[in-house]
Amino acid sequence: MPATFVVVPLWQGSVSSRAMSHSDGADAILGDLPSSSTVVVEVPVEAGESLGTGVQRYSTLLRVRERTAVALSHVPDWALTIGGDCGASLASVGHASARTGGDLAVLWLDAHPDLNTPETSPSGGFGGMTLRAIAGEGAEGLALDPDTRVAPERLVLGGIRAIDDEERRFIDEHGVSTLTVEDLSDPSLVIAALEATGASQVFIHIDLDVLDPAALAGLSYPMPFGIGASELVALVRAVVARFPIAGAAIAGFAPSSPQSADDDLPTILRLVGALTSGGAASA
């Protein structure tokens, strides 16, 4: 079955000055998706409160996670989640992990590892904690439970080039597989790293800041020396051709204006096409 698109215009996980533009980015992508196979998760207008968790806007993030999980529970096959910031991927990975009985690797294509905790985060932004929560650690309600969490040895990080001290410690302690931007230009290296996890099915997360800023303008955290758009599309197509895809997400689109969004959309839609070019994982 083809993918169901689940649009989550979440911005509350970002602490960028352009955080609210993530909502605009999700809406811009929504305009080019097939309405018959697209579901939109309502994101509250209010920022939300931390409630002593160390996570900025925690209350809203929790509500959006719960709403996304409900939307995903009605998806007949696999979901391509459209953020919003990276926090939109949390419920989606949980859904994919449950569908596959935990037989899941996560390919995290991002300029940042997103492996902080509420205690170590320099900003309190959940976007920088999302993958740690996927590994089962974090604030109550925002960390996957033992049945759906993805173990560190099943994580493959690609294009990471801004790493905090705690993230480095976690990567080193657990031997998390990391691939450079240069490595991503050789899909065989990525496929080998995914095969080494032992999982037979894959969730692909793409934070658009894995791209070089020259390839895409609408980034809330532009980081130089990223991968080119054509190389990223080729990589995704190669991974999709090798592995059944249990789920995927595109996050981090924060256009500065409607015109800027229009300029960037062809690149994003090429990635959507690449993600949906293969077969889905079996439940």
Side-chain angles (χ1 to χ4, degrees):
M1 295 180 66
T4 297
F5 299 97
V6 178
V7 179
V8 188
L10 179 70
W11 62 269
Q12 286 90 341
S14 173
V15 292
S16 164
S17 61
R18 290 172 60 176
M20 295 185 73
S21 297
H22 287 92
S23 178
D24 299 331
D27 289 342
I29 300 170
L30 172 64
D32 281 300
L33 300 178
S35 58
S36 61
S37 55
T38 300
V39 177
V40 179
V41 174
E42 182 183 356
V43 173
V45 174
E46 62 268 19
E49 302 295 333
S50 66
L51 302 182
T53 62
V55 180
Q56 289 196 35
R57 307 166 184 148
Y58 166 83
S59 60
T60 295
L61 290 163
L62 183 61
R63 290 172 65 190
V64 173
R65 188 225 165 148
E66 292 168 347
R67 290 177 181 181
T68 305
V70 170
L72 289 164
S73 71
H74 298 292
V75 171
D77 197 76
W78 72 283
L80 172 47
T81 298
I82 302 294
D85 64 61
C86 287
S89 288
L90 176 68
S92 302
V93 175
H95 173 256
S97 180
R99 285 187 64 246
T100 60
D103 181 18
L104 185 71
V106 173
L107 176 59
W108 197 261
L109 301 172
D110 197 318
H112 309 85
D114 297 342
L115 284 169
N116 271 299
T117 68
E119 293 74 30
T120 68
S121 169
S123 68
F126 182 66
M129 309 179 203
T130 303
L131 189 55
R132 190 69 169 264
I134 286 167
E137 299 180 38
E140 183 176 355
L142 293 182
L144 296 185
D145 61 37
D147 293 333
T148 57
R149 76 178 189 91
V150 180
E153 58 266 25
R154 291 266 174 106
L155 305 177
V156 176
L157 310 183
I160 306 299
R161 49 199 192 277
I163 307 176
D164 292 331
D165 290 345
E166 168 60 19
E167 295 174 315
R168 172 57 65 192
R169 186 203 65 78
F170 185 88
I171 289 168
D172 291 346
E173 178 180 319
H174 294 283
V176 176
S177 179
T178 59
L179 300 165
T180 66
V181 170
E182 291 74 20
D183 292 336
L184 298 186
S185 296
D186 183 352
S188 67
L189 295 177
V190 181
I191 288 169
L194 289 167
E195 289 174 341
T197 68
S200 64
Q201 304 177 39
V202 173
F203 185 101
I204 302 175
H205 165 93
I206 302 172
D207 183 335
L208 293 168
D209 68 15
V210 75
L211 288 164
D212 191 86
L216 198 88
L219 300 173
S220 55
Y221 297 103
M223 289 288 299
F225 310 116
I227 191 172
S230 295
E231 290 81 6
L232 182 58
V233 169
L235 167 63
V236 171
R237 286 191 176 276
V239 172
V240 168
R242 168 61 181 84
F243 294 96
I245 300 304
I250 295 175
F253 186 34
S256 59
S257 68
Q259 179 59 52
S260 175
D262 289 343
D263 292 342
D264 284 338
L265 278 172
T267 296
I268 296 170
L269 295 176
R270 286 172 66 198
L271 289 169
V272 171
L275 288 166
T276 56
S277 62
S282 57

